């Protein structure tokens, strides 16, 4: 079996021993779903019993993409020469010559878990793939929550996308009249680290919400307190809790939404962005949900995405630290998350390096 470091790109390094969001569960039907993750082509498919599977999307014979082939029962037949591979990645059929199967006719398989209506994939050492390490996103499957969700593919390094969520000081300026107000800049904020988890918290006071949020949180045009708390887990999995409490009201009067922002690198220069937001208060209102979905798409697809892509282009292919950026107070969360991730990647690379292996006595 190929080792994780054999897939590394010559540019930026990735954390391989981690769970990544690969798709929303309803994206994976009876058809094959190709997706590039960590610069590796992967093909996802469900077996006849509904189980999700993932294989390296590259036939070992002439390296044709397997997703261009066809399903034969629970196997994939390569479109180029007809080799068939089962869910483990083993070649089980060779239509040529005497039908003998070469020992190296094997495709790498990846551990896959379906949880929280998402397909999660582990790109590193399969023996370390513990599903319990997937962070909690219970709101996605809680029947009391009314959720909307989306997906976008953005040009730009995934840590730039992470920075955008860990630093919500930008919402006053990038999302005026939609998500932000001037109260955000004078909010109390802080960053806490618990193990490898980073918590970035921001709380406004005496804030009048934009009209969309007034309706969404049922706050009207009263003064409110609002908290925006982000939980970051490596490599780039964020849960956003936003609560609104009208001034003078008891704490139980607050309405709090839950959201997720999951960034998976397609490559060093492109990012899969899976997002969702839900509420568990108020009557079910399809019209409100439709408006909420449209507003979030506007924020993420027409405001965040173009800005991140413009930043990416303007950085000229250099990493953030290579450009020695000016730092502001709003950078505390993003910097802490970047530091944790860099430490994890460095530790993983050291463990995989031949130089780190024990040396024989006398060497």
């Amino acid at each position: 079996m190929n080792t994780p470091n054999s897939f590394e790109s010559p540019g930026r390094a990735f954390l391989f021993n981690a769970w990544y969001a690969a798709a929303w569960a309803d994206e994976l039907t009876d058809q094959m779903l190709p997706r590039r993750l960590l610069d590796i082509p992967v093909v996802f498919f469900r077996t006849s019993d509904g189980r999700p599977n993932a294989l390296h999307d590259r036939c070992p014979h002439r390296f044709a993409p397997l997703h261009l082939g066809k399903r034969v029962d629970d196997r994939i037949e390569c479109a180029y020469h007809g080799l068939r591979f089962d869910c483990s990645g083993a070649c089980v059929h060779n239509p040529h010559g005497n039908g003998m199967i070469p020992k190296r006719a094997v495709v790498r398989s990846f551990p896959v878990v379906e949880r929280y209506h998402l397909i999660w994939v582990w790109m590193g050492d399969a023996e370390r793939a513990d599903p319990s390490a997937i962070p909690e996103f219970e709101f996605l499957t809680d029947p009391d929550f009314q959720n909307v969700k989306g997906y976008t593919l953005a040009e730009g390094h995934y840590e730039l996308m992470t920075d955008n969520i860990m630093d919500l000081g930008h919402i006053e300026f990038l999302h005026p009249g939609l998500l932000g107000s001037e109260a955000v800049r004078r909010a109390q904020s802080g960053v806490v680290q618990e193990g490898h988890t980073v918590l970035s918290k921001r709380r406004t006071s005496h804030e009048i919400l934009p009209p969309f949020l007034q309706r969404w949180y049922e706050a009207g045009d009263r003064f409110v307190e609002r908290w925006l708390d982000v939980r970051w887990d490596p490599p780039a999995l964020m849960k956003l809790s936003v609560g609104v409490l009208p001034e003078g009201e008891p704490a139980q009067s607050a309405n709090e939404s839950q959201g997720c922002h999951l960034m998976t690198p397609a490559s060093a220069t492109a990012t899969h962005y899976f997002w969702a937001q839900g509420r568990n208060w108020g009557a079910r209102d399809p019209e409100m949900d439709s408006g909420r979905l449209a507003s979030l798409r506007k924020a993420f697809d027409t405001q965040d995405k173009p800005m991140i892509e413009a930043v990416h282009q303007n950085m000229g292919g250099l990493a953030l630290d290579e450009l020695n950026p000016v730092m502001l107070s709003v950078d505390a969360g993003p910097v802490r998350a970047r530091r944790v991730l860099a430490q994890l990647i460095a530790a993983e690379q050291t463990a995989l390096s031949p130089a780190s292996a024990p040396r024989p006595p006398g060497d």
Side-chain angles (χ1 to χ4, degrees):
M1 178 177 289
N2 293 311
T3 55
N5 56 334
S6 68
F7 284 117
E8 288 181 19
S9 300
R12 306 282 179 80
F14 302 115
L15 183 66
F16 284 88
N17 288 313
W19 289 103
Y20 288 89
W24 287 109
D26 58 11
E27 290 184 86
L28 194 55
T29 62
D30 58 352
Q31 302 297 311
M32 288 183 281
L33 176 67
R35 190 150 277 174
R36 180 169 287 273
L37 307 169
L38 282 62
D39 232 357
I40 302 168
V42 180
V43 59
F44 294 88
F45 61 100
R46 291 188 186 275
T47 49
S48 54
D49 60 3
R51 278 188 308 113
N53 297 269
L55 296 178
H56 190 198
D57 193 11
R58 191 173 72 184
C59 179
H61 172 229
R62 286 292 182 265
F63 314 116
L66 291 177
H67 77 267
L68 296 180
K70 64 181 180 180
R71 296 282 301 280
V72 179
D73 299 322
D74 285 338
R75 298 162 178 178
I76 296 179
E77 181 177 287
C78 179
Y80 200 3
H81 290 88
L83 296 182
R84 292 180 188 170
F85 300 88
D86 67 13
C87 298
S88 73
C91 181
V92 294
H93 176 67
N94 173 13
H96 303 283
N98 63 6
M100 288 186 61
I101 297 175
K103 291 182 179 180
R104 292 193 300 114
V106 177
V107 175
R108 186 181 179 188
S109 64
F110 299 91
V112 180
V113 172
E114 184 168 352
R115 182 170 295 179
Y116 305 128
H117 295 318
L118 285 155
I119 304 298
W120 301 85
V121 64
W122 182 274
M123 303 295 288
D125 181 357
E127 294 183 356
R128 297 180 59 182
D130 179 4
S132 69
I134 297 173
E136 174 274 323
F137 294 100
E138 291 288 350
F139 79 95
L140 288 172
T141 51
D142 187 333
D144 291 334
F145 272 81
Q146 305 166 60
N147 296 317
V148 296
K149 63 182 174 65
Y151 161 80
T152 190
L153 179 63
E155 292 299 317
H157 193 270
Y158 71 104
E159 285 184 286
L160 295 177
M161 304 288 287
T162 296
D163 294 345
N164 188 60
I165 303 300
M166 291 297 285
D167 157 31
L168 291 177
H170 76 273
I171 64 176
E172 174 190 354
F173 304 97
L174 193 57
H175 310 297
L178 184 61
L179 301 179
S181 77
E182 58 83 25
V184 175
R185 76 177 74 166
R186 48 184 173 80
Q188 294 182 333
S189 61
V191 176
V192 177
Q193 183 176 336
E194 299 175 356
H196 293 150
T197 298
V198 177
L199 305 170
S200 179
K201 301 186 176 185
R202 180 178 294 270
R203 190 172 189 119
T204 72
S205 60
H206 208 58
E207 178 180 16
I208 297 291
L209 296 173
F212 163 68
L213 295 182
Q214 290 179 15
R215 296 191 300 274
W216 167 233
Y217 289 99
E218 300 180 351
D221 58 359
R222 293 174 290 176
F223 286 108
V224 302
E225 295 180 24
R226 177 166 54 140
W227 55 92
L228 304 101
D229 297 342
V230 183
R231 184 199 73 201
W232 175 91
D233 288 289
L237 308 174
M238 288 160 284
K239 181 178 181 181
L240 172 60
S241 301
V242 180
V244 170
L245 177 63
E247 286 187 359
E249 295 289 331
Q252 60 267 29
S253 299
N255 286 330
E256 183 177 79
S257 68
Q258 302 292 325
C260 67
H261 299 267
L262 314 175
M263 313 301 180
T264 299
S267 66
T269 59
T271 302
H272 301 288
Y273 179 11
F274 303 91
W275 54 265
Q277 187 187 48
R279 65 170 180 165
N280 62 351
W281 73 87
R284 296 196 176 273
D285 186 343
E287 185 177 349
M288 169 63 81
D289 288 344
S290 178
R292 178 164 50 118
L293 181 60
S295 295
L296 293 174
R297 281 178 172 161
K298 177 181 179 181
F300 302 150
D301 291 345
T302 71
Q303 295 174 337
D304 284 325
K305 179 181 175 181
M307 178 57 73
I308 297 301
E309 291 181 337
V311 168
H312 167 71
Q313 290 294 326
N314 228 23
M315 290 173 65
L318 297 177
L320 190 70
D321 56 356
E322 293 179 284
L323 289 168
N324 192 26
V326 170
M327 289 295 175
L328 305 176
S329 60
V330 295
D331 294 311
V335 167
R336 186 71 64 91
R338 280 176 172 267
R339 186 178 301 155
V340 171
L341 183 59
Q343 291 168 351
L344 291 172
I345 291 175
E348 183 175 277
Q349 290 183 329
T350 298
L352 291 171
S353 171
S356 67
R359 293 188 174 191
D363 257 23

